[in-house]
Amino acid sequence: MSFAKWIGGALGWSFGGPVGAIIGLAIGSLIDGASEQGGFLLDDGKTTRRRSKGTYRTKPNYERRTQRSQTQSGDFEVSLLILASVVIKADGIQDPKELDYVRQQFVSMYGKERANHAFRLFKNINKQTIPTRQVCLQIKQMMDHSSRLQLVHFLFGIAKADGMVTEPEVKQIYTICGYLGVSSRDYESIKAMFYDSVDNAYKILEITKNATVDEIKKAYRKMAKKYHPDKVIHLGKEHQKGAEEKFRQVQKAYEQLQKERGF
């Protein structure tokens, strides 16, 4: 699979708006670099024309869209790459472990070849100054809620990749959640999946320690439905793995409370 086929074959709404502008600049840098080395090959083996940086053509009328388009695997992928760059740079230190986590997760989800394409794009995205609010507002408008929750789960995984989540990273993810329209309860639930504390099970199920057994059971049914892997089936099997991890965390939290409360 060539880079051109990969980047053009699975993107929908993300070719428009601020997300599209960032992708376009990153692709332009790749094309410029490849041209200097003898050409950037497309599927037909022909060399592309060089684009001027910053002039990538995005889909027209993005601002006037009112209906949420179906998020494709590629839309999720590039959104993830951009927000991963924002989180990695939050504490002013780009830890190699965090970069390795991004690469490893992409290999796990997409396979080595597609992951290599994604990471090439990521390195050029990472050189840019990202307009976080504008990017998140586009994602909020165009991406369904379950997919946005999956993005947040991945971002915490990146932040935890070096063994700890720093305060700037936590603040950045919280800010991103606000822009994405992810509630504080959802934020705290996903955050608790990456921390070890005595009340994590309650936080994951979005309840308090004073919850009754009936309330715990009700919360479990609600959270199991919210985080069920089928909620992101439209993103492809590659993204269901992360959804399955969230689902297992909900089950684990419920089983822990069953043991503690004796029901």
Side-chain angles (χ1 to χ4, degrees), residues 207-237:
I207 53 178
T208 68
K209 290 183 177 181
N210 297 323
T212 65
V213 169
D214 285 341
E215 288 172 336
I216 293 173
K217 291 179 178 179
K218 182 179 179 180
Y220 169 68
R221 290 193 295 270
K222 175 185 175 182
M223 298 304 293
K225 182 178 180 180
K226 179 189 291 188
Y227 289 147
H228 197 282
D230 284 351
K231 289 285 188 178
V232 294
I233 196 171
H234 57 284
L235 296 180
K237 292 182 179 180

Short mmCIF file of all heavy atoms in Angstrom, two decimals, residues 207-237:
data_model
loop_
_atom_site.label_atom_id
_atom_site.label_comp_id
_atom_site.label_asym_id
_atom_site.label_seq_id
_atom_site.Cartn_x
_atom_site.Cartn_y
_atom_site.Cartn_z
N ILE A 207 -20.25 6.68 39.82
CA ILE A 207 -21.10 6.73 41.01
C ILE A 207 -20.24 7.12 42.21
O ILE A 207 -19.01 7.15 42.13
CB ILE A 207 -21.78 5.36 41.29
CG1 ILE A 207 -20.74 4.25 41.33
CG2 ILE A 207 -22.86 5.08 40.25
CD1 ILE A 207 -21.31 2.87 41.65
N THR A 208 -20.90 7.39 43.34
CA THR A 208 -20.18 7.73 44.56
C THR A 208 -20.07 6.52 45.47
O THR A 208 -20.72 5.50 45.25
CB THR A 208 -20.90 8.86 45.32
OG1 THR A 208 -22.15 8.35 45.82
CG2 THR A 208 -21.16 10.05 44.40
N LYS A 209 -19.27 6.64 46.51
CA LYS A 209 -19.09 5.55 47.46
C LYS A 209 -20.37 5.25 48.24
O LYS A 209 -20.51 4.19 48.84
CB LYS A 209 -17.96 5.88 48.44
CG LYS A 209 -16.58 5.87 47.82
CD LYS A 209 -15.53 6.14 48.88
CE LYS A 209 -14.13 6.06 48.31
NZ LYS A 209 -13.07 6.29 49.32
N ASN A 210 -21.28 6.20 48.23
CA ASN A 210 -22.54 6.03 48.96
C ASN A 210 -23.60 5.31 48.13
O ASN A 210 -24.73 5.12 48.60
CB ASN A 210 -23.09 7.39 49.41
CG ASN A 210 -22.15 8.09 50.38
OD1 ASN A 210 -21.53 7.46 51.23
ND2 ASN A 210 -22.05 9.42 50.24
N ALA A 211 -23.25 4.90 46.93
CA ALA A 211 -24.23 4.25 46.04
C ALA A 211 -24.73 2.94 46.65
O ALA A 211 -23.97 2.19 47.27
CB ALA A 211 -23.60 3.98 44.68
N THR A 212 -26.00 2.68 46.47
CA THR A 212 -26.59 1.43 46.95
C THR A 212 -26.24 0.31 45.96
O THR A 212 -25.76 0.57 44.85
CB THR A 212 -28.11 1.55 47.05
OG1 THR A 212 -28.66 1.75 45.75
CG2 THR A 212 -28.50 2.72 47.95
N VAL A 213 -26.54 -0.93 46.37
CA VAL A 213 -26.28 -2.06 45.49
C VAL A 213 -27.09 -1.93 44.20
O VAL A 213 -26.58 -2.18 43.10
CB VAL A 213 -26.61 -3.39 46.20
CG1 VAL A 213 -26.60 -4.55 45.19
CG2 VAL A 213 -25.62 -3.66 47.32
N ASP A 214 -28.34 -1.51 44.33
CA ASP A 214 -29.18 -1.33 43.14
C ASP A 214 -28.60 -0.25 42.22
O ASP A 214 -28.64 -0.38 40.99
CB ASP A 214 -30.61 -0.97 43.54
CG ASP A 214 -31.39 -2.17 44.07
OD1 ASP A 214 -30.96 -3.32 43.80
OD2 ASP A 214 -32.41 -1.96 44.74
N GLU A 215 -28.09 0.81 42.81
CA GLU A 215 -27.50 1.89 42.02
C GLU A 215 -26.22 1.42 41.32
O GLU A 215 -25.93 1.83 40.20
CB GLU A 215 -27.21 3.10 42.91
CG GLU A 215 -28.46 3.84 43.35
CD GLU A 215 -28.18 4.91 44.40
OE1 GLU A 215 -27.15 4.79 45.11
OE2 GLU A 215 -28.98 5.85 44.50
N ILE A 216 -25.46 0.56 42.00
CA ILE A 216 -24.24 0.00 41.39
C ILE A 216 -24.60 -0.86 40.19
O ILE A 216 -23.98 -0.76 39.12
CB ILE A 216 -23.45 -0.83 42.42
CG1 ILE A 216 -22.88 0.08 43.52
CG2 ILE A 216 -22.31 -1.59 41.73
CD1 ILE A 216 -22.23 -0.68 44.67
N LYS A 217 -25.63 -1.70 40.35
CA LYS A 217 -26.07 -2.56 39.24
C LYS A 217 -26.58 -1.73 38.07
O LYS A 217 -26.28 -2.03 36.89
CB LYS A 217 -27.17 -3.52 39.73
CG LYS A 217 -26.68 -4.56 40.71
CD LYS A 217 -27.83 -5.46 41.16
CE LYS A 217 -27.34 -6.53 42.12
NZ LYS A 217 -28.46 -7.41 42.58
N LYS A 218 -27.32 -0.69 38.37
CA LYS A 218 -27.85 0.18 37.33
C LYS A 218 -26.72 0.90 36.61
O LYS A 218 -26.74 1.03 35.37
CB LYS A 218 -28.82 1.20 37.95
CG LYS A 218 -29.46 2.13 36.93
CD LYS A 218 -30.44 3.09 37.62
CE LYS A 218 -31.06 4.04 36.60
NZ LYS A 218 -32.02 4.98 37.26
N ALA A 219 -25.73 1.37 37.39
CA ALA A 219 -24.59 2.08 36.81
C ALA A 219 -23.79 1.15 35.91
O ALA A 219 -23.33 1.55 34.83
CB ALA A 219 -23.70 2.64 37.91
N TYR A 220 -23.63 -0.10 36.32
CA TYR A 220 -22.89 -1.07 35.52
C TYR A 220 -23.57 -1.30 34.17
O TYR A 220 -22.91 -1.31 33.12
CB TYR A 220 -22.76 -2.39 36.27
CG TYR A 220 -22.24 -3.51 35.39
CD1 TYR A 220 -20.93 -3.50 34.91
CD2 TYR A 220 -23.07 -4.57 35.03
CE1 TYR A 220 -20.46 -4.51 34.09
CE2 TYR A 220 -22.60 -5.59 34.21
CZ TYR A 220 -21.30 -5.56 33.74
OH TYR A 220 -20.84 -6.55 32.93
N ARG A 221 -24.88 -1.47 34.19
CA ARG A 221 -25.61 -1.69 32.94
C ARG A 221 -25.47 -0.48 32.01
O ARG A 221 -25.28 -0.63 30.79
CB ARG A 221 -27.09 -1.97 33.24
CG ARG A 221 -27.35 -3.32 33.90
CD ARG A 221 -28.83 -3.66 33.88
NE ARG A 221 -29.61 -2.74 34.70
CZ ARG A 221 -29.88 -2.93 36.00
NH1 ARG A 221 -29.42 -4.01 36.62
NH2 ARG A 221 -30.62 -2.06 36.66
N LYS A 222 -25.52 0.69 32.61
CA LYS A 222 -25.41 1.92 31.82
C LYS A 222 -24.02 2.06 31.20
O LYS A 222 -23.88 2.36 30.00
CB LYS A 222 -25.69 3.13 32.72
CG LYS A 222 -25.49 4.47 32.04
CD LYS A 222 -25.68 5.62 33.03
CE LYS A 222 -25.35 6.97 32.37
NZ LYS A 222 -25.50 8.09 33.35
N MET A 223 -22.98 1.80 32.01
CA MET A 223 -21.61 1.97 31.53
C MET A 223 -21.23 0.86 30.54
O MET A 223 -20.48 1.10 29.60
CB MET A 223 -20.63 1.99 32.70
CG MET A 223 -20.85 3.14 33.68
SD MET A 223 -20.80 4.77 32.89
CE MET A 223 -19.08 4.84 32.40
N ALA A 224 -21.73 -0.34 30.78
CA ALA A 224 -21.45 -1.45 29.85
C ALA A 224 -22.05 -1.14 28.48
O ALA A 224 -21.45 -1.46 27.44
CB ALA A 224 -22.03 -2.75 30.39
N LYS A 225 -23.20 -0.50 28.47
CA LYS A 225 -23.83 -0.11 27.21
C LYS A 225 -23.05 1.02 26.55
O LYS A 225 -22.81 1.01 25.33
CB LYS A 225 -25.27 0.33 27.48
CG LYS A 225 -26.04 0.70 26.22
CD LYS A 225 -27.48 1.08 26.55
CE LYS A 225 -28.25 1.45 25.28
NZ LYS A 225 -29.66 1.83 25.60
N LYS A 226 -22.62 2.00 27.36
CA LYS A 226 -21.89 3.15 26.83
C LYS A 226 -20.57 2.75 26.21
O LYS A 226 -20.16 3.27 25.16
CB LYS A 226 -21.63 4.18 27.95
CG LYS A 226 -20.86 5.41 27.48
CD LYS A 226 -20.43 6.28 28.65
CE LYS A 226 -21.60 6.95 29.32
NZ LYS A 226 -21.15 7.94 30.33
N TYR A 227 -19.85 1.82 26.85
CA TYR A 227 -18.52 1.44 26.40
C TYR A 227 -18.48 0.13 25.61
O TYR A 227 -17.41 -0.42 25.38
CB TYR A 227 -17.58 1.33 27.61
CG TYR A 227 -17.22 2.66 28.25
CD1 TYR A 227 -17.00 2.74 29.62
CD2 TYR A 227 -17.09 3.81 27.49
CE1 TYR A 227 -16.66 3.95 30.22
CE2 TYR A 227 -16.76 5.01 28.07
CZ TYR A 227 -16.55 5.08 29.44
OH TYR A 227 -16.20 6.28 30.02
N HIS A 228 -19.63 -0.35 25.20
CA HIS A 228 -19.64 -1.60 24.45
C HIS A 228 -18.88 -1.42 23.13
O HIS A 228 -19.05 -0.40 22.44
CB HIS A 228 -21.08 -2.05 24.16
CG HIS A 228 -21.19 -3.48 23.75
ND1 HIS A 228 -20.87 -3.91 22.47
CD2 HIS A 228 -21.54 -4.59 24.45
CE1 HIS A 228 -21.04 -5.22 22.40
NE2 HIS A 228 -21.44 -5.65 23.59
N PRO A 229 -18.03 -2.38 22.77
CA PRO A 229 -17.22 -2.27 21.53
C PRO A 229 -18.05 -2.04 20.27
O PRO A 229 -17.56 -1.43 19.31
CB PRO A 229 -16.50 -3.62 21.48
CG PRO A 229 -16.38 -4.04 22.91
CD PRO A 229 -17.66 -3.58 23.55
N ASP A 230 -19.29 -2.49 20.27
CA ASP A 230 -20.13 -2.29 19.08
C ASP A 230 -20.44 -0.82 18.83
O ASP A 230 -20.84 -0.45 17.72
CB ASP A 230 -21.45 -3.06 19.22
CG ASP A 230 -21.26 -4.55 18.99
OD1 ASP A 230 -20.17 -4.96 18.56
OD2 ASP A 230 -22.21 -5.32 19.24
N LYS A 231 -20.22 0.02 19.84
CA LYS A 231 -20.46 1.45 19.69
C LYS A 231 -19.51 2.08 18.69
O LYS A 231 -19.80 3.15 18.13
CB LYS A 231 -20.32 2.15 21.05
CG LYS A 231 -21.43 1.85 22.04
CD LYS A 231 -22.70 2.60 21.68
CE LYS A 231 -23.75 2.47 22.77
NZ LYS A 231 -24.98 3.25 22.46
N VAL A 232 -18.36 1.46 18.49
CA VAL A 232 -17.38 2.01 17.54
C VAL A 232 -17.12 1.04 16.39
O VAL A 232 -16.07 1.09 15.76
CB VAL A 232 -16.05 2.39 18.24
CG1 VAL A 232 -16.26 3.52 19.21
CG2 VAL A 232 -15.43 1.18 18.93
N ILE A 233 -18.08 0.19 16.12
CA ILE A 233 -17.91 -0.81 15.05
C ILE A 233 -17.71 -0.14 13.70
O ILE A 233 -17.05 -0.68 12.80
CB ILE A 233 -19.11 -1.77 15.02
CG1 ILE A 233 -18.77 -3.02 14.20
CG2 ILE A 233 -20.37 -1.07 14.51
CD1 ILE A 233 -19.82 -4.11 14.31
N HIS A 234 -18.26 1.07 13.53
CA HIS A 234 -18.13 1.79 12.26
C HIS A 234 -16.70 2.25 12.01
O HIS A 234 -16.34 2.61 10.88
CB HIS A 234 -19.06 3.00 12.24
CG HIS A 234 -18.84 3.95 13.38
ND1 HIS A 234 -19.27 3.69 14.66
CD2 HIS A 234 -18.22 5.15 13.44
CE1 HIS A 234 -18.94 4.68 15.46
NE2 HIS A 234 -18.29 5.59 14.74
N LEU A 235 -15.86 2.25 13.05
CA LEU A 235 -14.46 2.65 12.88
C LEU A 235 -13.59 1.50 12.40
O LEU A 235 -12.42 1.71 12.08
CB LEU A 235 -13.90 3.17 14.22
CG LEU A 235 -14.54 4.44 14.78
CD1 LEU A 235 -13.87 4.83 16.09
CD2 LEU A 235 -14.45 5.59 13.77
N GLY A 236 -14.15 0.30 12.36
CA GLY A 236 -13.39 -0.86 11.91
C GLY A 236 -12.86 -1.66 13.09
O GLY A 236 -12.77 -1.18 14.22
N LYS A 237 -12.50 -2.90 12.81
CA LYS A 237 -12.02 -3.80 13.86
C LYS A 237 -10.78 -3.28 14.55
O LYS A 237 -10.55 -3.56 15.73
CB LYS A 237 -11.73 -5.18 13.26
CG LYS A 237 -12.97 -5.93 12.79
CD LYS A 237 -12.60 -7.29 12.24
CE LYS A 237 -13.84 -8.06 11.79
NZ LYS A 237 -13.49 -9.40 11.24
#
